[in-house]
């Protein structure tokens, strides 16, 4: 079990973000918020924004050996001194460098401030990673690479302490290629290891979360304690992918792309904005999608920004949409897609109360707590309701006008593949007002096909799922429980029929876990 230590209130959003991120990887039975009095009961600890007093207690805990510590955010001076790091100062007007300008059509835009990983990070499985604090691929809204924004303010999403971690550094903050501060560090001291990220929530909203999982599940497994981690990918596959169209004005116009996806044997999903269903011309395709292995999701009733702005409006948007879709396909749907990917907490609460099992959203410009490296239970929501972040938007407007037009989408898939991340991408069907930058349906199908072809060339065993299948798999993941008795781990799953088996990663090996009770 991993203990979570902080100076924050246990019901704070910060605590929820950190704890739920660990739970999505480790299951709820392997994660416990603790006080300093309970530290000795744990060999693995995650501590964030801790006080100097807590820093002293952490030092005592480390001195007992066989310990792994993950640190997020503020590092008190007693720990800085213990590690031999150096305090620095943030550059003047550094906040300007941390924000990105809006992306022009057919280009992307990135902040001048960036994170660069070095060779020391390879021991945790990092590649030659380089990511900006903020990035846009469509105006100032979407980041097709999928990660969230690193802030420079007083929020939990901000960098915290300017430090030079010297030889312990595994990633640095750069401004126009010049060193500003360390961003992440790895300290090995005899029978202890410490991994630090210079952000109050660590990398919870980024592919970099894989480093946290690797540190917990396999790093120094020959000498230090490890915990098994659930993988985002079903057993027997090396990648999982889902694609969908969000229908906010027209549904029937999705037919040509639907037929194309059928021809290349890839499942097709539609998220339906149901006010258009008053016109019968848009109803037939829903049943065809279901009967050919696809899935239908709610995209609300009126596509209102922020689900209408209140719990009551969100409840109406979700419940009316769900009923209208049932009238068309004969069954209640389980999942929704947020309009504009805006996913405020009150809307998720409304969906849960209606009976939805989960929601797809996630966008860099708002609701940062919904941008999650791993799908699963959402901070601030009740158990049993899941979320999945899918920020990659495949639009003609976002094709690059220099070099390979789809290089960004290839890069987004590459990093998902490298970090065992479930990959979802979306598009929109044409309407009378918009074509989303596509010159024609033929061009759109060609580009979609090129991305699918690239995925199939990259992965040896890719698994293309419809949206329901992926979200059902994530829902199964959230109901898995891993516990330890003595030196043995027990894995418990609901005793029900499952379409795909889960797998865990532990001490550098993977193992299938299926129905019933498994012992590791």
């Amino acid at each position: 079990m991993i203990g979570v230590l902080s100076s924050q209130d246990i019901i704070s959003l910060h605590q929820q973000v950190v704890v739920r991120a660990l739970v999505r990887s480790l299951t709820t039975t392997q994660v416990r918020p603790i006080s300093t009095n309970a530290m000795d009961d744990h060999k693995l600890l995650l501590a964030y924004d801790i006080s100097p007093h807590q820093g002293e207690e952490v030092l005592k805990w480390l001195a007992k050996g066989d310990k792994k510590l993950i640190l997020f955010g503020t590092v008190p001076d007693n720990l800085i001194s213990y590690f031999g790091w150096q305090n620095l100062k943030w550059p003047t007007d550094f906040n300007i460098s941390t924000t990105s300008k809006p992306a022009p059509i057919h280009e992307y835009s990135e902040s001048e401030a960036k994170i660069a990983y070095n060779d020391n990070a390879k021991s945790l499985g990092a590649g030659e990673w380089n990511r900006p604090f903020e990035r846009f691929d469509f105006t100032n809204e979407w980041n097709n690479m999928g990660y969230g924004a690193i802030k420079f303010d007083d929020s939990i999403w901000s960098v915290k302490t300017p430090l030079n971690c010297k030889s312990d550094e595994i990633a640095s903050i750069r401004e126009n290629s010049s060193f500003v501060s360390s961003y992440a560090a790895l300290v090995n001291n005899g029978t202890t290891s410490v991994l630090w990220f210079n952000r109050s929530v660590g990398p919870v909203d980024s592919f970099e979360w894989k480093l946290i999982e690797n540190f917990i599940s396999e790093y120094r497994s020959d000498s230090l304690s490890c915990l098994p981690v659930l993988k985002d990918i079903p057993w027997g596959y090396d990648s999982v992918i889902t694609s969908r169209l969000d229908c906010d004005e027209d549904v029937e116009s999705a037919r040509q792309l639907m037929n194309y996806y059928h021809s290349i044997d890839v499942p097709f999903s539609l998220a339906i904005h149901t006010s258009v269903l008053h016109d019968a011309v848009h109803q037939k395709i829903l049943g065809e999608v279901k009967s050919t292995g696809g899935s239908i999701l709610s995209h609300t009733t009126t596509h209102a920004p922020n689900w209408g702005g209140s719990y009551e409006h969100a409840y109406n948007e979700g419940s009316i949409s769900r009923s209208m879709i049932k009238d068309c396909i004969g069954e209640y749907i389980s999942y929704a897609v947020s309009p504009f990917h805006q996913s405020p907490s009150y809307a998720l609460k409304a969906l849960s109360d209606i009976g939805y099992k989960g929601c797809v959203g996630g966008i860099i410009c708002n609701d940062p707590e919904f941008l999650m490296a791993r799908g699963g239970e959402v901070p601030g929501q009740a158990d049993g309701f899941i979320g999945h972040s899918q920020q990659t938007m495949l639009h003609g407007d976002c094709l690059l006008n220099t070099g390979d037009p789809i290089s960004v989408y290839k890069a987004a898939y590459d990093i998902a593949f490298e970090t065992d991340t479930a990959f979802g991408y979306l598009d929109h069907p044409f309407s009378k007002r918009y074509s989303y930058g596509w010159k024609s349906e033929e061009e759109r199908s060609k580009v979609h096909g090129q991305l699918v072809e690239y995925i199939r060339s990259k992965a040896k065993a890719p698994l293309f799922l419809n949206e329901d299948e992926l979200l059902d798999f994530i829902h199964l993941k959230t109901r898995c429980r891993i516990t330890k008795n003595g030196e043995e781990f027990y894995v418990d799953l609901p005793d029900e029929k499952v379409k795909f088996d889960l797998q865990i990663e532990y001490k550098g090996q993977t193992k299938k876990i299926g129905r019933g009770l498994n012992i590791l």
Side-chain angles (χ1 to χ4, degrees):
M1 181 176 289
I2 185 168
V4 181
L5 178 70
S6 77
S7 56
Q8 303 292 316
D9 190 290
I10 195 167
I11 62 172
S12 69
L13 176 63
H14 194 173
Q15 178 88 310
Q16 282 274 309
V17 167
V18 173
V19 169
R20 282 284 167 94
L22 286 172
V23 165
R24 290 190 293 270
S25 296
L26 296 165
T27 80
T28 186
T29 44
Q30 288 201 103
V31 182
R32 178 180 294 170
I34 63 168
S35 69
T36 53
N37 295 325
M39 289 170 58
D40 284 342
D41 296 333
H42 300 81
K43 293 184 177 180
L44 288 91
L45 188 70
L46 189 153
Y48 63 91
D49 285 349
I50 56 175
S51 67
H53 168 70
Q54 289 172 318
E56 289 293 341
E57 297 301 315
V58 165
L59 287 173
K60 295 175 185 176
W61 176 79
L62 286 171
K64 297 172 184 177
D66 189 16
K67 300 290 189 290
K68 283 183 180 177
L69 170 66
I70 301 170
L71 277 175
F72 289 166
T74 302
V75 183
D77 285 341
N78 44 24
L79 284 179
I80 293 173
S81 177
Y82 174 75
F83 297 140
W85 298 347
Q86 177 186 1
N87 277 299
L88 302 173
K89 292 184 178 180
W90 295 114
T92 304
D93 296 329
F94 183 59
N95 60 305
I96 298 173
S97 296
T98 65
T99 59
S100 172
K101 295 178 180 179
I105 292 177
H106 300 306
E107 297 180 27
Y108 61 85
S109 181
E110 296 183 342
S111 61
E112 292 180 356
K114 291 180 170 60
I115 306 298
Y117 283 82
N118 61 38
D119 286 346
N120 292 336
K122 291 180 179 178
S123 62
L124 285 174
E128 296 179 359
W129 295 346
N130 190 309
R131 57 149 295 185
F133 272 47
E134 187 173 65
R135 174 197 170 98
F136 297 121
D137 289 272
F138 180 76
T139 65
N140 58 348
E141 298 175 2
W142 297 80
N143 170 17
N144 286 338
M145 290 298 294
Y147 45 78
I150 299 172
K151 300 294 187 179
F152 187 70
D153 54 22
D154 293 327
S155 73
I156 64 176
W157 313 101
S158 177
V159 288
K160 300 298 288 188
T161 307
L163 292 171
N164 183 352
C165 297
K166 304 177 181 179
S167 61
D168 296 328
E169 180 181 281
I170 63 172
S172 61
I173 298 171
R174 301 269 164 176
E175 183 182 28
N176 293 323
S177 300
S178 298
F179 176 83
V180 172
S181 167
S182 297
Y183 179 69
L186 179 63
V187 182
N188 291 309
N189 186 4
T191 59
T192 63
S193 288
V194 181
L195 176 61
W196 171 66
F197 279 86
N198 195 352
R199 191 177 183 223
S200 294
V201 293
V204 298
D205 54 355
S206 171
F207 60 90
E208 298 149 286
W209 185 256
K210 181 63 176 176
L211 303 187
I212 302 294
E213 292 180 333
N214 288 347
F215 183 76
I216 292 171
S217 69
E218 65 179 56
Y219 187 68
R220 295 185 66 186
S221 60
D222 58 336
S223 58
L224 298 183
S225 296
C226 295
L227 295 175
V229 165
L230 281 173
K231 295 191 72 169
D232 238 13
I233 314 297
W235 172 260
Y237 302 92
D238 59 1
S239 179
V240 62
I241 312 99
T242 186
S243 60
R244 70 171 201 278
L245 289 188
D246 288 351
C247 306
D248 44 4
E249 291 195 20
D250 196 345
V251 182
E252 175 59 28
S253 70
R255 182 171 297 279
Q256 184 164 331
L257 191 62
M258 177 188 75
N259 290 338
Y260 177 74
Y261 267 85
H262 290 169
S263 73
I264 60 174
D265 195 28
V266 174
F268 189 76
S269 299
L270 289 179
I272 305 300
H273 158 211
T274 54
S275 63
V276 302
L277 295 182
H278 293 296
D279 185 343
V281 72
H282 298 298
Q283 297 178 12
K284 182 181 178 182
I285 193 173
L286 274 63
E288 295 178 31
V289 168
K290 288 289 292 182
S291 65
T292 54
S295 63
I296 302 295
L297 302 89
S298 168
H299 202 32
T300 72
T301 303
T302 69
H303 204 267
N306 284 307
W307 292 81
S310 69
Y311 172 91
E312 291 74 20
H313 280 102
Y315 193 97
N316 287 334
E317 289 279 348
S319 59
I320 294 172
S321 171
R322 195 166 184 244
S323 295
M324 291 183 71
I325 291 174
K326 180 180 184 292
D327 290 342
C328 290
I329 65 174
E331 61 185 56
Y332 281 118
I333 56 171
S334 297
Y335 302 106
V337 173
S338 292
F340 312 104
H341 273 214
Q342 296 165 341
S343 305
S345 180
Y346 59 78
L348 304 179
K349 168 66 170 150
L351 289 176
S352 178
D353 289 348
I354 293 165
Y356 286 89
K357 293 165 58 179
C359 181
V360 175
I363 192 168
I364 193 171
C365 61
N366 55 269
D367 306 314
E369 64 274 11
F370 199 86
L371 266 178
M372 303 174 291
R374 298 284 181 251
E377 292 181 345
V378 184
Q381 301 301 316
D383 292 354
F385 183 87
I386 65 165
H388 195 233
S389 302
Q390 298 177 18
Q391 198 182 174
T392 303
M393 185 169 65
L394 183 52
H395 274 182
D397 284 332
C398 299
L399 302 182
L400 300 183
N401 56 15
T402 57
D404 182 352
I406 63 169
S407 60
V408 171
Y409 300 103
K410 291 178 178 178
Y413 174 73
D414 284 348
I415 199 65
F417 178 76
E418 183 180 350
T419 57
D420 296 321
T421 301
F423 181 64
Y425 65 94
L426 68 135
D427 195 356
H428 293 77
F430 290 5
S431 73
K432 293 179 180 179
R433 297 192 302 132
Y434 295 114
S435 62
Y436 301 95
W438 296 111
K439 297 175 184 177
S440 66
E441 287 285 7
E442 289 71 26
E443 182 203 31
R444 183 222 290 270
S445 294
K446 179 181 177 181
V447 172
H448 276 249
Q450 288 172 343
L451 180 58
V452 171
E453 182 180 354
Y454 178 77
I455 291 170
R456 285 173 164 162
S457 71
K458 180 87 175 182
K460 293 181 180 178
L463 176 63
F464 289 87
L465 298 178
N466 69 44
E467 200 73 68
D468 281 354
E469 290 172 327
L470 175 60
L471 295 173
D472 282 346
F473 178 77
I474 293 170
H475 211 276
L476 173 67
K477 227 180 108 176
T478 66
R479 289 175 290 154
C480 180
R481 300 289 181 263
I482 300 176
T483 56
K484 190 176 185 183
N485 186 357
E487 296 302 313
E488 290 186 323
F489 287 99
Y490 291 79
V491 182
D492 194 16
L493 275 172
D495 189 13
E496 62 184 50
K497 185 177 181 180
V498 296
K499 189 167 185 177
F500 301 102
D501 289 312
L502 294 167
Q503 59 179 327
I504 58 94
E505 205 162 29
Y506 182 57
K507 295 189 175 182
Q509 297 182 340
T510 58
K511 179 180 177 179
K512 179 176 74 172
I513 52 176
R515 291 164 48 187
L517 195 65
N518 294 262
I519 301 176
L520 303 182

